Amino acid sequence: MDFRRQKLSIAEAKEMDMVQYLSSLGYEPSKIKGNDHWYRSPLRQENTPSFKVNRKLNRWYDHGLGEGGNVIDFGIQYYSCSVGEFLKKMEGGFSFQKPSKSFTKIKNEPEHQLKILKEVELSSHPLMRYLEQRKIPIETATRYCREVHYELNAKSYYGIGFKNDSGGFEIRNPYFKASSSPKDITTVKNASDEVTVFEGFMDFLSFKSIRENDLNKTPDFVILNSLSLFEKARPFLESHKAINLYLDNDAAGQKVAREALSSSKKYNDHSKLYQNHKDLNDWLVHIGKQQKKRLGNKL
């Protein structure tokens, strides 16, 4: 595949074969098992391969970072750039040479951190359209999210911000995923003896939108914001009598669910509801309005 096409669209970029793209950067898998191609992470230094590309899904997941996505999600992290800048790189406007990164951290070396400039009520039309595309009601999103304006690498951006328990934000817009420090879980406490767990806040908002008219008992919620924070969340989770898991339908999410179920009878895995989709939000996007109403009580 020629990665140097002109006028490359976001949709076209997302369809590019991730394995071939990594090969063009000089990365080859350390092992291949079925559709899973395992690499030493291009995003950090490691000895044991924990960066996986599922070639069937054409998506990557870095188990050490607890993050993943499509080729664009990878590119903006790899090059520390915006979506537009990455598309230019893909078009051939910039060299495909590996960016000069030193994985040996120098003591007191300043990091390029995302800086929050301001947070306001959600009002941006592009963000509203994005929420509509994800089938999230605006009233549900505005109840739990903010519009966050931030700076990264001396450039300003904005997105949907979801605050964690330490004051950091998970930020999403149609083209970019980001996090501000400190990284942490988000808990929503309703004085319940039951807790429901999600990897990301879009799944939480999906759950709330499906249950928007349900006036029955409301559980506590934990949004991990990264699967790597599951262990940190366990003391709070296991203080409840019942723990409902709505983790992503990928290898990492399924592995955590299996381990949790084997450790305690409190855990219940609900991923079968969206077994043909990557997560709860993906399932919600693909079901009709009538199905949404009819299936809401299954949650």
Side-chain angles (χ1 to χ4, degrees):
M1 181 179 291
D2 182 4
F3 290 105
R4 299 189 181 218
R5 294 181 56 187
Q6 297 298 315
K7 298 181 181 178
L8 185 71
S9 72
I10 290 170
E12 288 173 324
K14 287 182 178 180
E15 294 302 314
M16 287 187 171
D17 188 289
M18 187 75 191
V19 170
Q20 287 188 16
Y21 180 61
L22 288 173
S23 180
S24 76
L25 295 176
Y27 297 100
E28 300 298 337
S30 297
K31 63 178 179 179
I32 300 173
K33 188 174 182 180
N35 291 313
D36 295 333
H37 291 56
W38 291 88
Y39 300 78
R40 290 183 177 86
S41 177
L43 302 176
R44 56 192 173 81
Q45 187 178 41
E46 67 173 358
N47 295 320
T48 303
S50 65
F51 182 98
K52 183 186 74 173
V53 175
N54 183 295
R55 201 161 197 182
K56 183 178 181 181
L57 299 176
N58 200 32
R59 293 178 71 86
W60 62 275
Y61 189 83
D62 189 318
H63 289 266
L65 293 178
E67 297 178 7
N70 55 49
V71 68
I72 294 180
D73 300 317
F74 170 80
I76 57 180
Q77 286 207 44
Y78 185 74
Y79 288 102
S80 298
C81 66
S82 68
V83 173
E85 289 169 337
F86 178 62
L87 290 178
K88 287 181 181 179
K89 292 178 186 292
M90 299 285 273
E91 290 163 3
F94 292 87
S95 170
F96 276 96
Q97 188 176 18
K98 180 180 176 181
S100 57
K101 288 186 178 181
S102 174
F103 289 109
T104 304
K105 184 164 179 63
I106 301 173
K107 191 175 182 180
N108 298 324
E109 178 186 14
E111 294 182 339
H112 294 287
Q113 290 192 336
L114 183 151
K115 179 183 179 182
I116 301 296
L117 301 176
K118 65 177 180 179
E119 55 170 294
V120 297
E121 186 176 344
L122 276 171
S123 61
S124 164
H125 290 298
L127 297 182
M128 297 298 189
R129 286 198 300 271
Y130 176 54
L131 287 166
E132 289 172 357
Q133 290 169 356
R134 303 293 292 266
K135 305 297 183 185
I136 304 297
I138 302 302
E139 57 270 23
T140 301
T142 54
R143 198 178 311 148
Y144 297 100
C145 302
R146 301 281 284 170
E147 182 173 312
V148 173
H149 294 246
Y150 61 98
E151 183 180 86
L152 182 64
N153 297 323
K155 294 187 178 181
S156 297
Y157 307 90
Y158 65 95
I160 301 163
F162 182 74
K163 187 173 284 189
N164 65 41
D165 289 355
S166 295
F169 280 97
E170 295 300 310
I171 304 171
R172 301 288 183 270
N173 65 36
Y175 314 117
F176 190 62
K177 296 180 181 180
S179 301
S180 70
S181 296
K183 186 87 170 179
D184 201 356
I185 65 172
T186 302
T187 54
V188 180
K189 299 176 181 178
N190 297 303
S192 176
D193 59 3
E194 181 178 330
V195 61
T196 299
V197 189
F198 308 94
E199 282 192 45
F201 73 87
M202 280 295 176
D203 293 327
F204 166 65
L205 296 178
S206 299
F207 183 94
K208 295 296 290 186
S209 72
I210 296 166
R211 295 285 294 269
E212 59 193 350
N213 296 319
D214 187 351
L215 300 179
N216 294 331
K217 183 179 178 183
T218 302
D220 289 348
F221 296 98
V222 168
I223 300 85
L224 297 172
N225 298 318
S226 171
L227 194 61
S228 62
L229 295 176
F230 184 82
E231 286 302 315
K232 181 176 183 179
R234 283 187 69 167
F236 177 74
L237 296 179
E238 293 177 6
S239 68
H240 295 76
K241 291 182 179 179
I243 308 163
N244 301 310
L245 300 176
Y246 289 86
L247 303 181
D248 288 3
N249 239 341
D250 57 17
Q254 291 170 357
K255 180 175 184 291
V256 169
R258 285 196 304 271
E259 291 175 352
L261 264 63
S262 67
S263 70
S264 171
K265 292 183 179 179
K266 291 183 177 183
Y267 288 96
N268 302 289
D269 181 13
H270 293 268
S271 63
K272 285 187 177 180
L273 173 67
Y274 46 96
Q275 61 184 343
N276 296 318
H277 301 276
K278 66 184 182 68
D279 56 32
L280 184 62
N281 181 251
D282 186 54
W283 173 80
L284 177 62
V285 168
H286 288 90
I287 65 172
K289 290 182 180 179
Q290 292 305 314
Q291 286 178 293
K292 174 182 169 182
K293 291 178 182 178
R294 181 166 54 85
L295 294 173
N297 59 7
K298 287 189 176 183
L299 293 170

